[in-house]
Amino acid sequence: MGRLTTHVLDTAQGRPGKGIRIEVYRLEGEGRTRLKEVVTNDDGRCDAPILEDESLVVGEYELVFHAGDYLRAQGVEASEPRFLDVIPLRFGVADADAHYHVPLLLSPYGYSTYRGS
């Protein structure tokens, strides 16, 4: 069955992004529905798939990473407002039976993502 996972790596500090709050939304037209909220563990991952089985359906989704809160907690000095605070990542699920891994590589002034495995 399909599943959605993520992994946050703090590339500036060379370690997992621990304790990052992530909101999960399903997008429908101009609207979005909040499905859940998760927090990354010590390894920068979630303890279980974010969505799986019948909760993952074909469609568009958004993961909202609260990176600014994490960076503040890490003591990363930056001007306010921060260059990066809340990072929304929108992506599509075309095969609800597949594994969609959406990692975030994070630093105070940049981020990247890709479809992982």
Side-chain angles (χ1 to χ4, degrees):
M1 300 302 282
R3 62 191 167 133
L4 170 63
T5 58
T6 192
H7 187 197
V8 182
L9 294 173
D10 181 334
T11 58
Q13 298 186 60
R15 61 182 177 214
K18 173 186 175 183
I20 297 177
R21 184 168 61 99
I22 305 166
E23 294 175 282
V24 184
Y25 293 89
R26 173 137 162 82
L27 307 175
E28 299 176 73
E30 294 298 314
R32 67 183 193 161
T33 302
R34 188 172 188 267
L35 301 177
K36 68 188 318 185
E37 182 176 301
V38 296
V39 177
T40 57
N41 61 22
D42 291 350
D43 193 35
R45 301 174 187 273
C46 299
D47 290 331
I50 297 169
L51 298 174
E52 62 183 328
D53 301 330
E54 63 278 346
S55 66
L56 182 67
V57 298
V58 170
E60 295 181 0
Y61 293 86
E62 181 178 62
L63 296 177
V64 179
F65 295 84
H66 291 267
D69 293 343
Y70 165 78
L71 294 168
R72 281 182 200 89
Q74 296 300 304
V76 175
E77 292 188 29
S79 60
E80 292 291 342
R82 289 183 176 269
F83 180 70
L84 292 176
D85 188 14
V86 177
I87 300 172
L89 295 181
R90 291 187 170 191
F91 59 96
V93 170
D95 179 359
D97 291 326
H99 179 195
Y100 285 80
H101 184 66
V102 183
L104 180 72
L105 305 177
L106 173 65
S107 76
Y109 294 97
Y111 69 90
S112 66
T113 190
Y114 56 93
R115 181 171 177 193
S117 57

